[in-house]
Amino acid sequence: MNKKVLVAEDEQAIREFIVINLKRAGYETIEAADGLEALEQYENCNGEIAVALLDIIMPNMNGLEVCKKLREKNKVLGIMMLTAKTQEMDKVSGLLNGADDYVTKPFSPSELMARVDAIYRRVAMLQRSTGDEDNSLVQGRFSLNAEKMTFTKNDIPVDLTQVEFQIMNYFFQNQGKTLSRTQILHKVWGESREGEEKIVDVNIRRIRKKIEDEPSVPKHLLTIWGMGYKWVG
């Protein structure tokens, strides 16, 4: 799989810092200085970009809007928002618009690359297909095929991002069991992530909107207060 990463950041010094570290790690970088250029660069690459790093505050279209548009174009694309400590609500907005993760400025090269590598591994894994064999797991009205990255409700495809799919795959493997937010965080985002369980909550909200008949009164993806979440197919 192509290791192309789109870096959309209007501050040149920060963009150059990110690009240098990505290249050292073996990634090919595509740069953009504003939101519109980011979308243009994505289109010019004919869908070959695996991961997009988007600064939230950019001219000519902010990162949140770019994130939303990119997610509409590609459900598997890895998207990470670059945020400031003062942009707490923007982190949640980014996740709700389809981002998979975020990193808070200032960040170290090791932190940045750990996040990018984790997203890239998930994207690469989910884009592999083993052919036409159907190894779907069926639970009630729902079906999940981990090899083809497909999820259906009543035989109708449901568009899940790669992170949402990983969460649902984890639930399917543990139907009827209560999974803590920390367990989900570590399983999907990695063991090194601590104290960021809200990223799990936001993704659960997104998933419920896609799979529940009434997201405000879920019957399948249940909250077990004080413990975590449970999937009932």
Side-chain angles (χ1 to χ4, degrees), residues 5-9 12-32 53 107 112-113:
V5 178
L6 172 63
V7 181
E9 164 66 64
Q12 184 176 350
I14 297 177
R15 190 171 69 249
E16 290 177 350
F17 167 80
I18 294 171
V19 167
I20 287 172
N21 284 282
L22 286 169
K23 288 182 175 179
R24 284 175 178 169
Y27 290 95
E28 179 182 349
T29 59
I30 311 296
E31 298 182 47
L53 307 184
F107 43 78
L112 173 69
M113 293 317 308

Side-chain angles (χ1 to χ4, degrees), residues 43-44 59 84 111 154 156 170 173 205 210 218 226:
E43 294 295 340
N44 291 340
E111 180 185 14
N154 298 328
I156 300 173
Y170 190 33
Q173 299 294 335
R205 286 166 57 189
K210 296 181 178 182

Side-chain angles (χ1 to χ4, degrees), residues 145-180:
N145 188 306
E147 295 174 347
K148 297 179 181 178
M149 195 188 162
T150 57
F151 187 89
T152 64
K153 174 183 177 182
N154 298 328
D155 295 323
I156 300 173
V158 178
D159 285 330
L160 299 180
T161 69
Q162 43 99 2
V163 159
E164 292 167 350
F165 187 86
Q166 287 294 312
I167 292 173
M168 287 310 305
N169 191 28
Y170 190 33
F171 276 122
F172 261 60
Q173 299 294 335
N174 294 275
Q175 180 175 218
K177 297 180 181 179
T178 298
L179 301 176
S180 72

